[in-house]
Amino acid sequence: MPERTQHPHQPNSPARRQLDHALTAIARTTPGRRRYIADAAGEYLSQVDGHTLPLGYDVPFPADLAHANRSDAFRMRRGCTVAAMLGLAVRPSDPYLPDTARAIIDAVNAPVDRLTETAHTTGAPAVVALLHILGGAG
């Protein structure tokens, strides 16, 4: 079965709607839940991207079975957790979920990345950390 050709940057596409819904949902949850969802998304992507073997297998799924790999990762590598916690109605082999998972991880890590960049730019990481703790930065 051929892959869908729609991408998240196309307006009003299913991929874009899924991405918008996920980013809105992640923004409305608690910081602890954000981190948990991002960790689950990372675990899901580890198999989808081929960094981790499917559970119970000695070899990865062949490239022509990408849908089976996504489906397996959805069930066995917490993709279902990502979908459920964000209220996404997706099939296990959904071709858009990997891009959505990447966007979730980027969104959760963005404040940390900004703090790190600020610390490097200013040359005063202790001051940046203190301001962040006091609520004046990030």
Side-chain angles (χ1 to χ4, degrees):
M1 177 179 226
E3 292 293 317
R4 295 183 189 178
T5 59
Q6 295 177 343
H7 298 286
H9 66 274
Q10 293 175 331
N12 205 21
S13 68
R16 185 70 215 183
R17 286 192 301 273
Q18 182 184 94
L19 180 62
D20 290 346
H21 179 82
L23 292 176
T24 300
I26 198 88
R28 292 182 179 188
T29 190
T30 65
R33 283 181 183 253
R34 273 186 220 122
R35 176 53 40 207
Y36 184 80
I37 293 166
D39 289 345
E43 184 177 335
Y44 166 76
L45 286 173
S46 71
Q47 179 175 326
V48 170
D49 292 340
H51 303 296
T52 305
L53 291 174
L55 288 175
Y57 290 86
D58 295 335
V59 295
F61 283 97
D64 62 330
L65 291 177
H67 65 285
N69 188 36
R70 288 190 305 268
S71 183
D72 186 73
F74 184 85
R75 291 182 178 98
M76 304 301 286
R77 298 279 184 194
R78 297 197 301 165
C80 56
T81 300
V82 173
M85 291 188 80
L86 295 177
L88 300 175
V90 297
R91 293 169 311 173
S93 62
D94 189 286
Y96 310 134
L97 190 58
D99 288 336
T100 300
R102 287 182 192 89
I104 289 164
I105 292 169
D106 290 345
V108 170
N109 290 337
V112 174
D113 294 343
R114 276 195 310 273
L115 283 172
T116 303
E117 182 180 333
T118 303
H120 285 293
T121 303
T122 62
V127 173
V128 172
L130 180 62
L131 287 173
H132 176 68
I133 290 169
L134 295 175

